[in-house]
Amino acid sequence: MKKTMRISLRAGERIFINGAVLRAERKATFELLNDATFLMESHVLQVEQTTTPLRQLYFTVQAMLIDPRNADKARALFDEMIEPLLAAFKNETIRNELQEICKLVANGRTFEALRVIRSLYPLEEAILEGDLDRASKVA
């Protein structure tokens, strides 16, 4: 039995579904009746927001989801990025989650990979700010 996904959009809000960009002219609710890859506009990272290593990784994975025609190029970039990230981060939580992200991407589960990356933002921020007390509490 397939699950349906109910999605509500505000007027002017966009959603990215299977590489297509849709914009609601007015408030709308609809159901996805089959499997589809989608990303809500509120989770789309703009290039000027890629200010940290994990945000750059997110942007790359996001490109795989939003632009399926160029997903191979984005995947190649992801593959180039992941090893240096694993080497750069000493925090075990981030390292373990990066390995999980690799598995998710390898299995085509980019939406879940994005969710995991987003969950690491507070920890990354604490580490980059040198706030090891906060980093240990976030982890």
Side-chain angles (χ1 to χ4, degrees):
M1 176 183 232
K2 294 198 181 238
K3 284 178 31 178
T4 61
M5 175 71 68
R6 186 176 201 76
I7 298 174
S8 295
L9 299 175
R10 295 180 303 271
E13 190 174 15
R14 295 181 304 167
I15 185 169
F16 301 80
I17 302 176
N18 289 347
V21 182
L22 298 116
R23 184 175 49 82
E25 286 186 17
R26 56 185 158 277
K27 185 177 177 181
T29 300
F30 59 93
E31 291 182 4
L32 292 175
L33 300 175
N34 62 347
D35 290 334
T37 56
F38 71 93
L39 193 59
M40 299 295 290
E41 182 174 23
S42 61
H43 289 149
V44 174
L45 198 64
Q46 300 301 318
V47 71
E48 61 271 5
Q49 296 172 304
T50 60
T51 56
T52 69
L54 289 180
R55 288 177 184 270
Q56 292 166 1
L57 186 68
Y58 185 97
F59 190 80
T60 303
V61 175
Q62 170 186 287
M64 289 182 227
L65 187 69
I66 289 177
D67 188 6
R69 290 176 302 200
N70 292 309
D72 290 343
K73 292 176 186 173
R75 175 59 196 262
L77 181 58
F78 173 87
D79 290 342
E80 289 175 21
M81 295 174 75
I82 201 68
E83 287 303 320
L85 282 175
L86 282 165
F89 281 107
K90 303 303 178 208
N91 180 281
E92 282 303 309
T93 300
I94 289 184
R95 292 176 55 78
N96 290 339
E97 294 295 349
L98 285 172
Q99 291 170 347
E100 178 63 21
I101 291 161
C102 285
K103 291 176 190 172
L104 291 169
V105 168
N107 291 320
R109 298 175 57 201
T110 52
F111 184 80
E112 290 92 344
L114 291 173
R115 189 177 64 236
V116 173
I117 297 169
R118 275 195 314 272
S119 75
L120 294 173
Y121 288 170
L123 178 55
E124 179 189 40
E125 181 181 320
I127 291 168
L128 291 175
E129 291 175 356
D131 191 344
L132 299 181
D133 287 337
R134 186 170 58 133
S136 65
K137 291 175 186 172
V138 173

